[in-house]
Amino acid sequence: MLKRILYLILVFSSFSALAEEIPLKKGLTKPLNITKDVEYYVDESGSSSVDQIVDKEFRKINDQYFLIPFSDKSFWFKVDLTSRETNNEEWVLNFSNQLTENLEIYRQDSLSGKYKHVGTWTINSSRSESLKGQEPYFNFSPRESETILFRIQNKRGMRTEFYIYPASISQDVLLDYASERQLINGLLIFRLFLIVTLSLFVIKDIGFRGYSFLVIIKTLGYWGLINVLNPSFADTIELGGQINFLLYASSPVGVITFSLLVLPLKDLPKWVKNGFYLFLGLTVIAHILVWTEYDWHYVYFGILIVVLSSLYTLGIFALAVLRKLPIQYFYSVPFLVGIGSYLLLNVQILLGIKIPLILILTFFFFTAEILIFIFFLGRIFYQYDLKGRLADQELENERIQSEKLKEIDNLKTSFFTNISHEIKTPLTLISGPLQELRKRNPSEKLLNIMEANVIRLGELVGQILDIQKLESGKERPNIIKADIARQIRLQVMSFESLATSKRIRLNLQQTNDSFEAYFDDDKLNKIVTNLLTNAIKYSSEEGEVSVTVQFENHPKKVLISVADSGQGIEEADIEHIFEKFYQVNSQNHQGSGVGLSLVKELTDLLKGSVRVVSNKGIGTTFMVELPADEDTWRDYINHNTEPTDNFVIRKSSDQPITPTILDQDPNEKKKLILLVEDNPDMQEYLSEILSHEFNLLRAFDGKEGIALASSEVPDLIITDLMMPVMDGLEFSSKIRENTASSHVPIIMLTAKSNKETKLKSLEMGIDHFLTKPFDTDELNGVVNNCLENRAILRKVFSQNVGESITQLKGEINPWEKAFMDNLQDFLENLYHDSSLTVPTIAAHLNMSESQFRRKLKSISTFSPNEYLRKFRLHKAAEKLKNSSKTVSETAFEVGFENLSYFSKIYQEEFGKSPSEASKS
Ligand code: ADP
């Protein structure tokens, strides 16, 4: 091939002017390219006979090769030969394109001067000659001067050259061509074999596999271009053309598959992928069309798709490089070089433009691709090996980590188990006396809270112990034969009161009212209880919880589904909720994360399964399936146990969940405390303790709390740290941002209080922490302490009316200071205006009159009017002392219009009359 190319260049550069006849010279040892002296005529109809065209005007090609376009036309070529020195030696006329579909050869008869048909060559006629090479050729013994005419009909566009050489060297030439082709073919087959084997057994990397698929398609494409497969199958020109088309026009499939595998599509615009799919679709359409009819338009369309998809692919890779995206260079570079080679070849025949160096460039890119890939192969090996080793290491790390986690988990379980055992005794000792107390004080509200919480604590301890037992494998199913439908009905009914108190509709539907089956009553109860507790706990008011039970026969089976219309679970959390101690958002709800893991362990033990389907914001459905047939449980049946009828009726100790204002007596001088706490029991407990001494406001979350704080301006706020909607820190910061409530002292209840939370809380102006559990005295102590501090401060403020706030001593928080500064600045400018009223001042401070009154009173003990009067009197005292103005002038200057009223209150305030003050 290379020889031929060099030869081509030589011929090209020594291209000389017009030669009419081609002399057949003796001693020619290489084929002679005679293309430029060949003349051609285009028969537009495609059907003219030799006699019809013989007198037409032929034009000289005058170039080293000729491009036959895609068409139905016939191309006639005329070669004028002279052979004075050849002594009847045989010659060969050679046409360089093996994809020539139909070639007819005519020779002028020496007697009649007419052209006679002497040979036909079709794309599938090289069948028997394939060893010699598949380019069409024509053997003849020339006369002294003679003209050979031939006609080429080709639907596919192609490039062709015409060569002539003596038959004596034809064997050499054919061998030359054959060995050239075999060399390339061998190289390609070797590459194909190497890459496919590596990708199947060694480098199991997706990029490598994409590349090997591409190599398969490209190799087939090459075979299509040299017409190798075709002679073995085809017996018509159409079929020959179609088989070749299938091979050489499938390259977009390889190119696009490779691109889709190697490009980081998620970082590229969406249209990139769609573009690839579009070209894939168009390729398939082209093939369908060509296989329906071998029409040149369809073939043209197929090649057009090859060219456009290659350009598109090059563009997308350029885009990826520009965006600095990883494109697996080891594969992409040879790939792109390969595309370049095929693109050049096709663009030329598609557009019919002549690119002089095309063959050299094509060959250059063709070999470059192979060489570059071989060069990169070592790197690919290395990288693949490294990746493998890293993956192994990661796997090992993961194993170690999961072992550690398991260890920690076990530690936690054993820790909780120990604690639970410890708690059991005191719990019993609380629960007994509690029942005694209940008998003595049947109406005591605090006992409700205690009872509900003793049950809750008891259940939690029980669950932890159950889990530990299940995990240790000591627990066995205790199977009874009974009416399972009845048991489930009773279990669900025990939740009715709880559901009603939360205004949740609880439905139960069973396929049978009664169903004899084999099951573990106690464990089933635990499963149903846990699922129902969660369904109710995680549903909001007015929600709905539906329990649906299906009973199946042959074999007996129970399918329980518990569906709620609650908050739902995030997709990412679903896989974890059955893990021990896992809580989706431990901030917002009480719980331990034990319930569902117990359900899982129990269903496993009972040879069943549990599944969950959830939509965030819409609801959650848990589905439990349990086998209930005799065969499954034969070894576990206990004939001595009866199904229980004794279910704990689940009740809420909750109070109505709306913010309430309790015990407010406006005449009484009780201080007003706002409780913000989501746990109704804790609310109740705090209220019980505080309601004797204080007026109380109650809110169940931060949002309600903020609204109440702003409208009622309490003297103190007690808030929990962990609450739904917003936590205590966020709540406090909102309280401080609101002018009306910014000064109110805040006590924060915390279960866990680390240093960080404390620091953050101090920044937010939280005055006190109270760590749970706390007792009555502690709470009273902290509340009183807080209020006393406030009283001291109030005293400071009240004694220093009219003085700059910065001079005041004592604990002033920045929010109070800002408020007082603002108030004093405003009064400083306007106190002399006798028409200044309280509503004007409140409006300036962005508060309602009542907010302003409550706030000022709580900071300074004075009502706004008192404060304004005092402010003016203090200003008057200053003025009387420092200026020589008369009393009435001074009174007027500080905004008093009535002199005797001024004198009276001045006397009251300072114990002496204004005139006395002025004299001194
Ligand atoms: P917990 O004591 O926290 O309720 P569970 O093991 O019972 O522990 O549940 C684990 C987590 O699964 C809970 O923290 C909760 O977020 C979520 N979860 C369980 N049931 C539901 C439900 N019906 N709706 C929404 N979330 C649920």
Side-chain angles (χ1 to χ4, degrees):
M1 171 79 104
L2 193 60
K3 265 197 298 182
R4 196 152 150 193
I5 290 160
L6 289 176
Y7 173 68
L8 226 148
I9 300 170
L10 270 178
V11 175
F12 184 71
S13 54
S14 65
F15 173 70
S16 61
L18 312 159
E20 289 295 313
E21 290 186 324
I22 301 158
L24 301 181
K25 284 186 191 147
K26 226 176 168 178
L28 197 63
T29 53
K30 283 184 191 118
L32 178 66
N33 184 340
I34 54 165
T35 319
K36 78 178 165 61
D37 289 324
V38 174
E39 293 179 314
Y40 72 96
Y41 167 74
V42 184
D43 169 20
E44 299 284 339
S45 73
S47 57
S48 306
S49 69
V50 68
D51 296 333
Q52 288 169 312
I53 59 97
V54 119
D55 297 326
K56 301 280 187 202
E57 196 182 326
F58 277 68
R59 295 177 53 200
K60 218 156 160 203
I61 293 178
N62 241 341
D63 205 345
Q64 293 305 307
Y65 59 95
F66 186 79
L67 286 179
I68 297 178
F70 293 78
S71 73
D72 286 327
K73 298 173 192 168
S74 299
F75 283 77
W76 287 88
F77 298 90
K78 197 195 281 181
V79 188
D80 288 330
L81 299 163
T82 56
S83 77
R84 287 180 208 99
E85 319 161 16
T86 51
N87 301 335
N88 287 342
E89 193 187 356
E90 277 228 342
W91 284 76
V92 177
L93 181 59
N94 189 86
F95 311 86
S96 75
N97 201 316
Q98 47 284 57
L99 290 185
T100 308
E101 290 168 6
N102 192 5
L103 175 71
E104 303 286 355
I105 301 153
Y106 300 87
R107 209 174 165 195
Q108 204 169 21
D109 187 75
S110 50
L111 293 175
S112 65
K114 287 209 157 197
Y115 282 91
K116 277 173 70 181
H117 183 259
V118 288
T120 298
W121 194 96
T122 64
I123 195 163
N124 48 327
S125 67
S126 59
R127 198 187 280 255
S128 56
E129 317 246 359
S130 58
L131 271 181
K132 294 187 189 166
Q134 289 134 342
E135 292 174 0
Y137 62 93
F138 173 53
N139 273 36
F140 65 102
S141 26
R143 299 183 209 112
E144 195 166 302
S145 161
E146 96 159 283
T147 304
I148 297 176
L149 264 181
F150 49 92
R151 188 190 70 174
I152 294 182
Q153 282 181 313
N154 231 58
K155 302 213 162 143
R156 175 186 184 271
M158 66 174 190
R159 167 200 163 105
T160 189
E161 290 138 25
F162 308 103
Y163 291 91
I164 198 146
Y165 51 87
S168 57
I169 65 158
S170 75
Q171 210 55 31
D172 298 347
V173 171
L174 289 179
L175 273 176
D176 242 18
Y177 285 1
S179 59
E180 226 173 59
R181 203 165 293 137
Q182 273 160 14
L183 178 72
I184 295 180
N185 217 358
L187 206 68
L188 290 182
I189 292 174
F190 171 70
R191 176 176 75 163
L192 180 73
F193 181 74
L194 176 73
I195 292 181
V196 170
T197 316
L198 283 178
S199 83
L200 282 180
F201 305 111
V202 186
I203 307 180
K204 293 169 187 163
D205 174 75
I206 193 80
F208 200 87
R209 290 191 163 168
Y211 195 77
S212 66
F213 178 65
L214 179 76
V215 164
I216 295 175
I217 298 272
K218 280 175 80 135
T219 312
L220 290 174
Y222 177 76
W223 289 342
L225 285 177
I226 59 167
N227 193 28
V228 284
L229 289 184
N230 167 43
S232 332
F233 303 108
D235 45 17
T236 64
I237 295 176
E238 279 72 27
L239 188 56
Q242 283 162 332
I243 290 177
N244 283 333
F245 179 85
L246 179 70
L247 299 175
Y248 64 68
S250 292
S251 70
V253 177
V255 166
I256 292 169
T257 311
F258 175 81
S259 306
L260 289 174
L261 290 176
V262 163
L263 283 171
L265 289 171
K266 58 178 187 323
D267 301 324
L268 285 164
K270 213 175 157 223
W271 55 260
V272 168
K273 202 164 156 187
N274 295 339
F276 280 124
Y277 289 149
L278 175 72
F279 280 116
L280 217 49
L282 291 174
T283 307
V284 172
I285 291 174
H287 281 281
I288 293 173
L289 290 173
V290 167
W291 278 91
T292 333
E293 190 188 347
Y294 193 64
D295 180 289
W296 75 264
H297 296 93
Y298 301 155
V299 182
Y300 184 89
F301 175 62
I303 301 294
L304 184 69
I305 299 306
V306 170
V307 168
L308 292 181
S309 64
S310 303
L311 287 173
Y312 179 77
T313 309
L314 285 175
I316 298 302
F317 272 83
L319 178 73
V321 171
L322 279 179
R323 291 197 175 179
K324 301 203 167 72
L325 297 175
I327 55 163
Q328 308 205 20
Y329 282 92
F330 296 153
Y331 305 116
S332 302
V333 172
F335 163 73
L336 294 173
V337 171
I339 287 193
S341 143
Y342 205 53
L343 191 61
L344 278 177
L345 205 68
N346 282 318
V347 162
Q348 168 166 281
I349 60 158
L350 193 69
L351 302 181
I353 47 167
K354 294 199 168 178
I355 308 169
L357 295 178
I358 188 97
L359 274 187
I360 299 177
L361 284 174
T362 305
F363 182 71
F364 173 74
F365 283 136
F366 178 82
T367 15
E369 178 190 356
I370 301 179
L371 294 180
I372 294 173
F373 188 74
I374 291 173
F375 176 74
F376 280 155
L377 200 57
R379 306 292 296 271
I380 292 172
F381 261 120
Y382 174 74
Q383 213 182 32
Y384 180 73
D385 183 48
L386 195 70
K387 231 169 147 184
R389 268 184 287 152
L390 282 178
D392 284 350
Q393 209 165 20
E394 208 160 287
L395 220 67
E396 175 64 12
N397 285 348
E398 253 170 42
R399 194 187 57 77
I400 294 176
Q401 212 163 22
S402 92
E403 245 171 40
K404 268 204 182 125
L405 278 179
K406 223 168 163 184
E407 221 171 89
I408 293 175
D409 218 36
N410 288 341
L411 228 86
K412 249 184 182 174
T413 313
S414 72
F415 173 72
F416 281 129
T417 312
N418 292 340
I419 294 267
S420 299
H421 278 298
E422 288 303 313
I423 292 176
K424 263 178 113 177
T425 320
L427 204 57
T428 325
L429 291 177
I430 295 172
S431 132
L434 202 56
Q435 283 168 15
E436 245 346 275
L437 275 180
R438 166 61 78 207
K439 280 183 207 149
R440 287 185 217 163
N441 299 301
S443 59
E444 176 56 63
K445 267 208 247 160
L446 278 179
L447 290 182
N448 291 347
I449 305 174
M450 290 177 77
E451 277 166 353
N453 284 289
V454 163
I455 291 176
R456 187 185 290 171
L457 195 56
E459 266 177 1
L460 182 61
V461 166
Q463 285 187 344
I464 290 174
L465 293 177
D466 279 346
I467 284 225
Q468 199 267 340
K469 233 179 179 178
L470 282 162
E471 276 184 353
S472 68
K474 285 184 202 145
E475 188 68 23
R476 266 173 60 96
N478 181 28
I479 303 295
I480 56 167
K481 182 184 178 197
D483 181 358
I484 189 169
R486 173 178 180 271
Q487 289 312 104
I488 294 178
R489 195 161 46 242
L490 290 175
Q491 287 161 11
V492 175
M493 270 163 59
S494 72
F495 277 86
E496 247 159 26
S497 156
L498 177 65
T500 313
S501 70
K502 268 194 88 180
R503 281 188 259 156
I504 287 173
R505 263 179 299 143
L506 177 60
N507 311 315
L508 169 67
Q509 267 189 338
Q510 302 200 94
T511 50
N512 301 37
D513 286 339
S514 153
F515 192 81
E516 283 287 312
Y518 293 85
F519 65 101
D520 184 325
D521 190 27
D522 175 53
K523 294 188 182 64
L524 177 71
N525 184 19
K526 282 176 180 158
I527 293 172
V528 173
T529 302
N530 268 303
L531 294 182
L532 268 177
T533 310
N534 279 347
I536 294 174
K537 181 160 72 173
Y538 296 110
S539 286
S540 45
E541 266 190 82
E542 313 288 347
E544 182 162 357
V545 172
S546 307
V547 184
T548 316
V549 190
Q550 246 175 292
F551 301 104
E552 281 180 13
N553 278 304
H554 320 295
K556 281 192 175 175
K557 214 191 266 180
V558 187
L559 304 154
I560 307 169
S561 116
V562 179
D564 65 54
S565 59
Q567 61 193 44
I569 308 169
E570 295 276 1
E571 183 92 24
D573 288 312
I574 285 195
E575 56 180 309
H576 297 295
I577 54 171
F578 293 108
E579 288 168 14
K580 245 187 310 175
F581 312 119
Y582 187 85
Q583 286 179 287
V584 173
N585 187 351
S586 55
Q587 289 278 317
N588 284 359
H589 269 285
Q590 308 156 333
S592 55
V594 171
L596 285 181
S597 61
L598 183 63
V599 169
K600 177 90 182 69
E601 295 274 354
L602 286 170
T603 47
D604 283 351
L605 183 75
L606 296 179
K607 306 187 188 184
S609 65
V610 52
R611 283 187 303 129
V612 57
V613 179
S614 185
N615 285 317
K616 191 79 193 150
I618 295 177
T620 309
T621 305
F622 283 89
M623 285 155 285
V624 172
E625 187 176 331
L626 297 172
D629 58 312
E630 189 177 5
D631 283 350
T632 305
W633 296 120
R634 197 177 304 280
D635 299 339
Y636 297 92
I637 298 175
N638 180 344
H639 296 284
N640 302 325
T641 312
E642 287 292 309
T644 178
D645 271 356
N646 186 15
F647 291 97
V648 181
I649 300 295
R650 314 263 154 185
K651 269 194 289 198
S652 160
S653 53
D654 298 10
Q655 297 302 309
I657 307 191
T658 40
T660 39
I661 302 173
L662 286 180
D663 308 334
Q664 279 229 60
D665 176 355
N667 296 324
E668 211 176 320
K669 291 225 161 134
K670 276 185 180 175
K671 294 265 177 259
L672 181 61
I673 296 182
L674 167 64
L675 301 178
V676 188
E677 168 63 67
D678 64 312
N679 182 323
D681 288 350
M682 188 52 99
Q683 271 261 4
E684 198 53 40
Y685 175 62
L686 290 170
S687 308
E688 276 298 323
I689 300 174
L690 298 171
S691 62
H692 305 297
E693 233 182 296
F694 303 99
N695 286 333
L696 295 179
L697 286 170
R698 296 168 29 153
F700 286 84
D701 64 41
K703 210 166 140 213
E704 292 168 359
I706 288 167
L708 281 176
S710 170
S711 64
E712 308 298 324
V713 194
D715 296 290
L716 178 73
I717 297 174
I718 300 180
T719 173
D720 198 351
L721 175 63
M722 291 207 271
M723 288 187 298
V725 186
M726 67 176 84
D727 67 13
L729 291 178
E730 192 185 344
F731 166 74
S732 304
S733 92
K734 294 235 157 87
I735 288 290
R736 291 291 175 243
E737 279 163 18
N738 185 324
T739 324
S741 59
S742 63
H743 67 286
V744 182
I746 300 176
I747 296 175
M748 177 86 84
L749 306 179
T750 63
K752 42 183 172 189
S753 60
N754 55 27
K755 210 167 156 191
E756 214 174 293
T757 325
K758 277 199 172 161
L759 275 175
K760 217 161 146 199
S761 314
L762 286 176
E763 275 168 27
M764 245 155 245
I766 281 152
D767 300 69
H768 275 284
F769 280 97
L770 203 54
T771 311
K772 293 177 199 168
F774 48 82
D775 59 31
T776 326
D777 290 344
E778 238 180 313
L779 177 69
N780 275 325
V782 169
V783 168
N784 286 324
N785 189 322
C786 228
L787 290 171
E788 266 162 33
N789 278 348
R790 188 57 40 166
I792 296 170
L793 209 60
R794 234 184 338 253
K795 215 164 159 195
V796 176
F797 273 121
S798 63
Q799 285 170 355
N800 295 279
V801 182
E803 280 178 29
S804 166
I805 198 98
T806 38
Q807 291 164 11
L808 298 183
K809 292 183 201 84
E811 271 182 59
I812 306 166
N813 70 37
W815 302 279
E816 278 159 39
K817 186 174 165 331
F819 171 77
M820 291 308 285
D821 274 345
N822 202 347
L823 174 62
Q824 286 192 342
D825 283 351
F826 188 68
L827 294 183
E828 198 72 53
N829 290 327
L830 290 175
Y831 67 89
H832 47 76
D833 179 357
S834 58
S835 63
L836 182 64
T837 58
V838 173
T840 320
I841 306 174
H844 169 75
L845 297 169
N846 276 335
M847 282 192 251
S848 74
E849 233 184 297
S850 70
Q851 283 176 325
F852 177 43
R853 174 168 295 109
R854 285 205 60 88
K855 178 156 179 131
L856 188 63
K857 199 140 180 113
S858 129
I859 292 184
S860 68
T861 68
F862 302 124
S863 72
N865 271 324
E866 282 168 345
Y867 190 85
L868 178 59
R869 201 168 57 219
K870 269 182 186 289
F871 191 90
R872 284 173 160 156
L873 288 174
H874 280 262
K875 286 292 166 193
E878 230 172 82
K879 282 181 194 282
L880 287 171
K881 204 166 143 197
N882 300 327
S883 81
S884 52
K885 298 230 167 101
T886 64
V887 172
S888 68
E889 276 171 342
T890 309
F892 188 70
E893 265 183 20
V894 297
F896 287 99
E897 286 175 343
N898 185 330
L899 185 60
S900 62
Y901 174 68
F902 170 68
S903 305
K904 179 173 163 271
I905 57 174
Y906 193 95
Q907 175 88 39
E908 278 170 19
E909 177 74 18
F910 298 114
K912 53 183 170 183
S913 71
S915 41
E916 277 170 352
S918 144
K919 271 177 228 150
S920 59

